[in-house]
Amino acid sequence: MLINLNGNLVQKEDAKISVFDHGLLYGDGVFEGIRIYSNNIFKLKEHIDRLYDSAKFINLDIPLSKKEMIEEVVKTVAVNKLKDGYIRLVVTRGEGDLGLDPRKCKKATYFIIADKIVLYPDEFYKKGLSIITVATRRNVNEALEPRVKSLNYLNNILAKIEANNAGSLEAIMINQQGYVSEATGDNIFIIKGNNLITPSLFCGVLNGITRATVIEIGRKIKMNVLENVLTRYDLYTADECFLTGTAAEVIPVVEIDTRKINGGIPGTKTKVIMREFKKLTKKIGVKVKYKT
Ligand code: PMP
């Protein structure tokens, strides 16, 4: 496997960054997780746009144009001859001193890993997930904006630990106002009648690429798509529920805090959305060509 480290393709063993890198010392950096489906890098442009927005928010200069970054991603996938897989693109503040002042970091570091993806086991796509809401609140927007996909994932990890301790595969986080935000690495949707509802971006959620794709699908299949505030009441009384994310794709939820959703089986509309999503994954994005 070859890793792209600041534009150089190096062996995994040689892909090393400084212990003075502020990405490591302070979680000062941004990242993206991107999927490849049958040589198609799904919604690559949208991921790059979000990466640059995250970087802009944290005042981080990425030393490449968006076009150049797209080329670097494509190059990395091509050289690894990856047909289906997952890309992790990380940009850190770079090497500085032991203080946290980002001005001491002269140049951002970036690296791109193209690898295979570990999914939820297939059975969960068929039988659905049982999940819980947790006590760890979602970061407050004014403190650490959840729309920024930063290297600071401790908020999400603390929620994940709660889920692990409770024997649940995922955790739903509630925000400071008591509204539902998102799962630790996925967005959440519910279905009530013909309404397809997801927490609005102001509820403390990442502007998920899969979320946006599902919103498009919902409109196409003539559902009434709403971005709104949701409480745990709305979750428990939903007709159907599912999570969305690049890694998880669209995965049904059949139980929340012991309340069964749709009698404990994946819903019909959820299954339609899952099928429509699969179709789009090979269509929208940047195609990679390489010699086999
Ligand atoms: N929320 C969080 C906190 C995430 O980390 C992710 C995955 N990157 C998502 C939602 C889903 O976003 P996307 O569909 O762009 O992968």
Side-chain angles (χ1 to χ4, degrees), residues 31-34 42 47 50 86 88 138 146 148-149 153 156 173 182-188 204-213 244-249 277:
F31 77 103
E32 282 297 319
I34 311 164
F42 183 61
H47 281 283
R50 186 171 69 183
Y86 184 79
R88 176 54 56 90
R138 189 72 178 111
V148 176
K149 199 163 166 60
Y153 255 53
N156 313 49
M173 301 172 83
E182 59 182 346
T184 63
D186 298 314
N187 293 109
I188 185 165
V205 306
L206 185 75
N207 188 358
I209 308 284
T210 321
R211 176 184 183 276
T213 310
T244 65
T246 295
E249 303 175 295
F277 178 75

Side-chain angles (χ1 to χ4, degrees), residues 221-240:
I221 63 173
K222 301 272 183 290
M223 291 187 79
N224 182 31
V225 182
L226 299 164
E227 293 175 65
N228 208 336
V229 286
L230 295 174
T231 66
R232 287 190 303 161
Y233 175 88
D234 300 302
L235 298 188
Y236 299 165
T237 58
D239 295 338
E240 300 183 28

Side-chain angles (χ1 to χ4, degrees), residues 247-273:
E249 303 175 295
V250 180
I251 185 156
V253 170
V254 294
E255 188 182 295
I256 308 171
D257 296 339
T258 74
R259 279 73 161 182
K260 295 260 185 286
I261 311 295
N262 192 44
I265 56 166
T268 321
K269 291 194 169 89
T270 302
K271 285 195 220 157
V272 171
I273 292 168

Side-chain angles (χ1 to χ4, degrees), residues 75-282:
K75 178 172 103 181
T76 314
V77 172
V79 76
N80 285 293
K81 296 190 168 40
L82 206 60
K83 195 167 170 283
D84 290 277
Y86 184 79
I87 302 161
R88 176 54 56 90
L89 166 55
V90 180
V91 186
T92 77
R93 188 76 66 182
E95 202 176 325
D97 64 15
L98 290 179
L100 55 78
D101 191 343
R103 289 174 301 185
K104 298 281 171 58
C105 307
K106 295 301 172 211
K107 199 172 180 210
T109 304
Y110 74 88
F111 56 87
I112 307 165
I113 307 168
D115 201 358
K116 287 282 169 206
I117 175 87
V118 194
L119 285 169
Y120 284 117
D122 212 28
E123 54 170 309
F124 290 108
Y125 291 84
K126 297 198 181 88
K127 68 175 199 193
L129 292 175
S130 166
I131 63 173
I132 55 167
T133 57
V134 292
T136 302
R137 294 282 160 140
R138 189 72 178 111
N139 281 328
V140 181
N141 299 32
E142 288 76 17
L144 188 55
E145 170 62 73
R147 274 184 285 177
V148 176
K149 199 163 166 60
S150 83
L151 294 179
N152 254 285
Y153 255 53
L154 260 186
N155 182 217
N156 313 49
I157 291 164
L158 289 172
K160 188 79 178 178
I161 289 170
E162 283 193 70
N164 292 347
N165 290 346
S168 173
L169 274 176
E170 246 308 351
I172 297 299
M173 301 172 83
I174 308 293
N175 70 15
Q176 286 296 324
Q177 287 80 39
Y179 298 125
V180 174
S181 63
E182 59 182 346
T184 63
D186 298 314
N187 293 109
I188 185 165
F189 282 82
I190 61 161
I191 294 173
K192 189 79 176 169
N194 197 41
N195 296 318
L196 176 64
I197 319 169
T198 193
S200 98
L201 294 179
F202 307 103
C203 293
V205 306
L206 185 75
N207 188 358
I209 308 284
T210 321
R211 176 184 183 276
T213 310
V214 164
I215 287 175
E216 289 163 33
I217 292 169
R219 293 197 177 116
K220 204 184 109 200
I221 63 173
K222 301 272 183 290
M223 291 187 79
N224 182 31
V225 182
L226 299 164
E227 293 175 65
N228 208 336
V229 286
L230 295 174
T231 66
R232 287 190 303 161
Y233 175 88
D234 300 302
L235 298 188
Y236 299 165
T237 58
D239 295 338
E240 300 183 28
C241 179
F242 59 87
L243 305 181
T244 65
T246 295
E249 303 175 295
V250 180
I251 185 156
V253 170
V254 294
E255 188 182 295
I256 308 171
D257 296 339
T258 74
R259 279 73 161 182
K260 295 260 185 286
I261 311 295
N262 192 44
I265 56 166
T268 321
K269 291 194 169 89
T270 302
K271 285 195 220 157
V272 171
I273 292 168
M274 288 169 76
R275 271 201 300 277
E276 291 297 316
F277 178 75
K278 267 270 171 279
K279 282 189 217 158
L280 289 180
T281 54
K282 290 172 190 116

